[in-house]
Amino acid sequence: MPCREFHGQLANPKGKTAKLLKDYVCILIDDLTGVDIGLFEFDPDSTLYCFILNADEQIYLRYGGRDDSSAEKYFNEDSLEEALEKGLALHKQYGASELEKTERPKPFFPRDYPEIAKDEIAKKKCVHCHHLGQARTILLQGQGKLDKMKDLWVYPAVERLGISLDVKTGLVVDDADGAAKDAGLKKKDVITKLEGHPVHTFGDLQYLLDKHPAASETLKLTMLRKDEQVEIEIKLDKWWRVTDIARRAGTHALEPFPEFWGKPLDKGDKRKLGIDENQFGLEVTKFWVKTNAQSAGLQPGDVVYEVDGTTDCEYTGNPVVWIRLNRKPGDSVTVKALRNGKKLEFSFKLKARPW
Amino acid sequence: MKRVATTLLLFALAVAGLVATTPTDHVSAGGQEWLTDYQAGLERARAENKPIFLEFRCVP
């Protein structure tokens, strides 16, 4: 559901949603300046993200999350109503002392990122979600602590593990494939726990998946299959956390700047150009500033299919991402590109940033 | 398409109503009150023994 439409439903709820929201105190925050993002931690590349909690700031559940295809894939009336119902049930349990209290995470505020303190807060601008991802990259990069092969792949996608969920019903498996299928996950299973921690929504599942150690080789899921509780162990490959980081604001600040911008070609367009569908294929779109790649002769419309002898990669199909992850400012790269069927080669030096 | 257009219209009307009539610490539309002050929301939730639905809107 488009984000603005979903906002509309929340701003002007109807039917069951309205009835459920009457039992809540609703809070809307659109400026993160004073928010404890240590407590309210969520994917900064979201369009909206919701929490259900109580006055003791005990979080019952999260509602939100996304994948590479869309920031709104998991928002719909049905799953929202289910989350609201679960929230009310959990509140009742909390009141009856049937829920364990969780320890509050260490406070962390947007102002703790120097970039945000300087560029947003000091200038009295609003702090938005995407600022957080960007500021984190800048901070870690500046401290020399950024592990490019670990820190950028946040909030992994369940699809990568072979799990497709019926988005309207929250955590009901619509289809299982790959590693999840091999582990025994079946259609209509209802996921209830990840590594023993209860999950009530897709937001919970993705949050806990993000907390799962990157180096781990397995992931335990508990499901309800009819009336039976079933546990499976999914084998994780080396790249289980990989998502398309080109869509992430955190990547925009990543050094080096690859010296060109572009649009990845789909499989059909690659085939037309004689490029294997698993290989790099990125159409250069435009140069916002004079870049070294442009000076070397690369032009809009050129299709980059090779960088420094590399034509494909396990964790990205995008040569721009490959450059950002594998090269540093000051390095030189050689790219090969197609222009009107002709193969061309360009070499240029990488700067830290475009501006 | 008609449903989407209707929803957007309702949203636009709701937003117009909020801007015109409400103080800065809360907004209300369609009978649903939305507080914009987090601390006030905590206090209200404690007083009324209600859970909190907290929305972070990330689209400026």
Side-chain angles (χ1 to χ4, degrees), chain B residues 37-50:
Chain B
D37 180 328
Y38 176 69
Q39 286 304 326
L42 287 182
E43 284 162 26
R44 173 85 67 89
R46 191 173 303 284
E48 298 180 5
N49 187 28
K50 283 184 176 179

Side-chain angles (χ1 to χ4, degrees), chain A residues 68-103:
Chain A
D68 285 340
S69 69
S70 163
E72 285 95 26
K73 180 174 172 179
Y74 293 96
F75 295 119
N76 57 74
E77 203 172 0
D78 293 331
S79 67
L80 172 65
E81 286 170 0
E82 192 171 325
L84 291 170
E85 282 175 335
K86 285 180 178 173
L88 292 174
L90 289 163
H91 189 60
K92 212 170 168 183
Q93 283 181 285
Y94 186 83
S97 304
E98 291 168 7
L99 277 187
E100 262 183 49
K101 282 196 176 183
T102 53
E103 198 180 327

